[in-house]
Amino acid sequence: MASTQDSQLDEILWKAPLRAQEMGGIQTNTVLPYFSESPYFDATSNNATIMTQATHNPALFYLIQTRQAFEARLRTMQGLEFMVAHDPSDNGTKVEHSGIWVIRRQIRRKRAGTEDEITPISSFYVVGENIYMASSLGSVLGARLLATVTSLNKVIATASALPSFTPALGHTYLPPAPKALNPVTSNEGTPVPGSQDSTAAKPASKQFLDQDLQSAQLLQSSLNLSLRYGHEYMDDNPLVGEPGSFIITKTRDAQQPVSQPKAKPAAVSTRPPTPQIKADVPEPKRKPSMGTERSPTTPGTKEKKARRKSRPATSVTTPK
């Protein structure tokens, strides 16, 4: 509960202008009584004990008249106390000063023969009529780290949309800006063909979006083809170089002809070979033809039929 209360107190500002006027303004002798009415004050501290005793005991009334007497009595006690750590007026000797007092909440422990052990807990600033509570080191570091992490998240979210990939350029962060083309205009003010089309052209940002969409679709189709036909080769000559400047090289394998597949050896049969009988038969002699060799006929002409020679008729004799 104490840590939760302290974390809430360092976020508020307290002031009481009317009470400050009743005390005659904030000065070195009224800064502690003015602070005792703020929510930062602890009623169980030694300051509250001395003020209660001085109010009901006239012999101790002098303790609340000056700050020196009040703090001198606090140094003789042990426990929780509120002490002025910085006095801009230097105990009322300076007329003109910054008007900023520093009050420290601390615990005093008495030790025999040595100085008291003081453990600071928190600090407060009294600026005019306003009282602030100083933040702890842990809360300051936590706030700074939170601001740093929040800024980094914003930067990462903004930078994540910048990089893009294209097959021609690879990974880029900003697309190249296209060169502006100067439209051709006529000196006489006549409309030039194509000038109206240039005015109705798409904006540059929309063109970049279309190009990025086409590049993404091309990349997806290329990956699909690579996964499907990656084990096949359409060309034996490999490509070397970078994207945009590929060079076709020749290899020894590409220059050598593809060797024919070897034929499988014939199966060896265990059957003995059959004996071969040579029969030399003389070829019959052909009689030479009576007629001469025919001459080849020209195309387009009919071949003439050879006429048969007529034999002379023989007289038939009858027996007498």
Side-chain angles (χ1 to χ4, degrees):
M1 294 295 293
S3 60
T4 306
Q5 185 178 2
D6 293 343
S7 62
Q8 295 177 354
L9 291 177
D10 63 355
E11 299 176 0
I12 64 173
L13 163 67
W14 184 86
K15 62 179 179 179
L18 297 178
R19 185 56 179 166
Q21 293 178 3
E22 293 176 0
M23 293 181 178
I26 306 301
Q27 54 181 342
T28 184
N29 294 326
T30 59
V31 62
L32 286 177
Y34 180 74
F35 179 81
S36 63
E37 298 186 6
S38 67
Y40 307 107
F41 187 73
D42 192 349
T44 61
S45 62
N46 295 335
N47 297 59
T49 303
I50 296 175
M51 293 177 65
T52 303
Q53 293 176 357
T55 304
H56 297 85
N57 189 358
L60 301 176
F61 187 72
Y62 71 96
L63 296 177
I64 59 176
Q65 297 298 317
T66 60
R67 186 171 63 86
Q68 292 80 2
F70 188 84
E71 291 182 350
R73 185 58 180 267
L74 284 176
R75 291 186 181 94
T76 61
M77 304 172 66
Q78 67 175 357
L80 181 63
E81 62 184 14
F82 292 91
M83 297 282 288
V84 177
H86 174 70
D87 184 1
S89 64
D90 197 7
N91 294 328
T93 59
K94 293 182 180 180
V95 179
E96 295 181 358
H97 51 81
S98 62
I100 300 176
W101 280 265
V102 178
I103 299 177
R104 183 172 297 164
R105 180 181 180 180
Q106 58 190 12
I107 296 177
R108 184 184 297 273
R109 293 183 178 89
K110 293 292 183 178
R111 294 185 298 180
T114 58
E115 296 182 355
D116 299 341
E117 180 184 357
I118 298 175
T119 304
I121 299 177
S122 57
S123 299
F124 305 90
Y125 299 95
V126 181
V127 183
E129 299 175 353
N130 303 325
I131 301 179
Y132 306 87
M133 180 179 179
S135 301
S136 61
L137 181 60
S139 60
V140 173
L141 292 178
R144 294 298 177 88
L145 290 176
L146 179 61
T148 303
V149 172
T150 304
S151 301
L152 288 176
N153 289 335
K154 292 181 180 179
V155 170
I156 293 173
T158 305
S160 61
L162 292 179
S164 60
F165 176 80
T166 57
L169 300 178
H171 291 278
T172 56
Y173 286 92
L174 294 176
K179 297 181 180 179
L181 300 177
N182 296 327
V184 180
T185 57
S186 176
N187 295 331
E188 299 180 359
T190 56
V192 180
S195 61
Q196 297 180 357
D197 298 339
S198 61
T199 58
K202 297 180 179 180
S205 60
K206 191 171 183 180
Q207 292 180 0
F208 288 146
L209 293 177
D210 296 342
Q211 293 178 1
D212 294 342
L213 182 59
Q214 293 177 0
S215 301
Q217 293 176 353
L218 177 61
L219 175 60
Q220 184 178 2
S221 61
S222 301
L223 290 176
N224 293 334
L225 291 176
S226 177
L227 294 175
R228 185 179 300 177
Y229 307 106
H231 60 282
E232 300 179 2
Y233 296 91
M234 299 175 63
D235 195 354
D236 293 336
N237 297 333
L239 299 178
V240 296
E242 299 179 353
S245 60
F246 289 115
I247 301 175
I248 300 177
T249 59
K250 295 183 179 181
T251 58
R252 296 180 180 179
D253 299 337
Q255 296 177 0
Q256 295 179 359
V258 180
S259 60
Q260 297 292 337
K262 296 181 180 180
K264 295 182 180 180
V268 180
S269 62
T270 58
R271 185 178 181 181
T274 57
Q276 297 181 0
I277 301 174
K278 296 182 179 181
D280 297 334
V281 179
E283 297 180 359
K285 296 182 179 180
R286 299 179 179 179
K287 295 181 179 182
S289 59
M290 299 298 295
T292 59
E293 296 180 356
R294 298 179 181 180
S295 59
T297 58
T298 58
T301 58
K302 297 182 179 180
E303 183 180 358
K304 295 182 179 181
K305 296 182 179 181
R307 295 181 179 181
R308 298 178 61 182
K309 294 181 179 181
S310 60
R311 294 182 182 181
T314 56
S315 58
V316 180
T317 57
T318 58
K320 293 182 180 181

